Amino acid sequence: MTDLTIVIVSYNTRQELDACLAALAAHPPQTSHEVVVVDNASTDGTAAAVAERWPGVRLIRTERNVGFAAGNNLGIRASSSQYVLLLNSDTLVPDGAIDRLVERLNADPNAAAAGPRIVDGAGKAELSFGRMMSPFHEARQKLIVKLHDAGFAPVSRYVERITREPSNPDWVSGACLLVCREDAVAAGLLDERYFLYAEDVDFCAALRATGNRIWFTPDVEIVHHRGRAGRQRPAATELAYRRAQLAFYAKHHPAWVPWLRAYLRLCGKLPPS
């Protein structure tokens, strides 16, 4: 049995996935591991390319796009390792990064999950952790990200500073999230009501509910070419986000759901029932 399973869910990200797998092959973790790719019924030849170019990778093909949460759960259930790394297909992991995440969890018996510092291709930090999602915290996070992406210097300096400090946030990004299998199972795995977006915040909330900590680990850094797939289908991405948002508030903040629905209806963004 391996100590670590790296689960990568892919949907029409053939080129990005190939680069991700190449980086893992070039810098394999010293921790005994396997790589599992869950292809969500891609139409761009992803599954065939993985089977041809990466025969050592375990490939799970779905008959339809089941979403990010359900896809990750398929990979988790198909494996039995002590640790599971949820990794986006559009990431590049440098040498030693995964091993240091494992060391972070091993160093804290009360830690259930850990996430690294995430940067884009130019080295610009991503705000990849935060407080539990609520109307105030969600608005604050979005404002910071928007100003940071726009290059507003005071906010960018703030993001740079806080992403250099280790912390125990409420959640870390599912783009690269290492979790102890025992804790993941105790938390019920990822909630499959989330097709895309918010599943990582919800999953971390479930992990914390078992009495465990989440670690943001800035001495580990990965590259995330975020949003490429979403930019190809902006309308579908917006729809998925709003449905996830409604599902999250219905589960964690039900009193706010009528207000959220009214706001989305006013903006013309309320998903169809």
Side-chain angles (χ1 to χ4, degrees), residues 150-164:
F152 185 58
V155 171
S156 292
R157 286 194 296 270
Y158 168 74
V159 172
E160 178 67 23
R161 177 174 60 79
I162 65 171
T163 58
R164 294 289 185 183

Side-chain angles (χ1 to χ4, degrees), residues 143-156:
L143 179 61
I144 291 172
V145 169
K146 185 174 182 179
L147 292 173
H148 178 49
D149 288 346
F152 185 58
V155 171
S156 292

Side-chain angles (χ1 to χ4, degrees), residues 181-245:
R181 175 180 299 276
E182 182 179 358
D183 296 314
V185 171
L189 303 187
L190 283 79
D191 189 331
E192 297 184 8
R193 283 176 289 185
Y194 302 103
F195 183 82
L196 186 65
Y197 298 115
E199 71 289 314
D200 46 7
V201 182
D202 179 87
F203 184 46
C204 287
L207 292 171
R208 287 187 293 105
T210 64
N212 292 295
R213 280 194 288 266
I214 309 295
W215 274 101
F216 171 69
T217 312
D219 62 334
V220 180
E221 186 174 285
I222 71 158
V223 176
H224 184 201
H225 298 292
R226 62 189 175 103
R228 289 188 180 184
R231 286 195 296 269
Q232 294 172 1
R233 303 177 64 208
T237 299
E238 173 71 15
L239 180 62
Y241 170 70
R242 293 305 177 184
R243 283 178 169 162
Q245 187 183 33

Side-chain angles (χ1 to χ4, degrees), residues 39-100:
D39 182 63
N40 257 336
S42 295
T43 58
D44 66 347
T46 293
V50 171
E52 178 182 353
R53 284 182 46 77
W54 306 104
V57 169
R58 183 138 61 112
L59 176 62
I60 298 174
R61 306 174 191 235
T62 65
E63 295 183 355
R64 61 183 178 86
N65 185 357
V66 298
F68 187 75
N72 273 301
N73 285 346
L74 283 172
I76 296 171
R77 292 188 180 109
S79 59
S80 57
S81 56
Q82 179 181 1
Y83 298 110
V84 178
L85 178 69
L86 309 184
L87 187 66
N88 271 25
S89 60
D90 55 357
T91 58
L92 298 175
V93 179
D95 189 26
I98 295 174
D99 291 314
R100 292 197 298 277

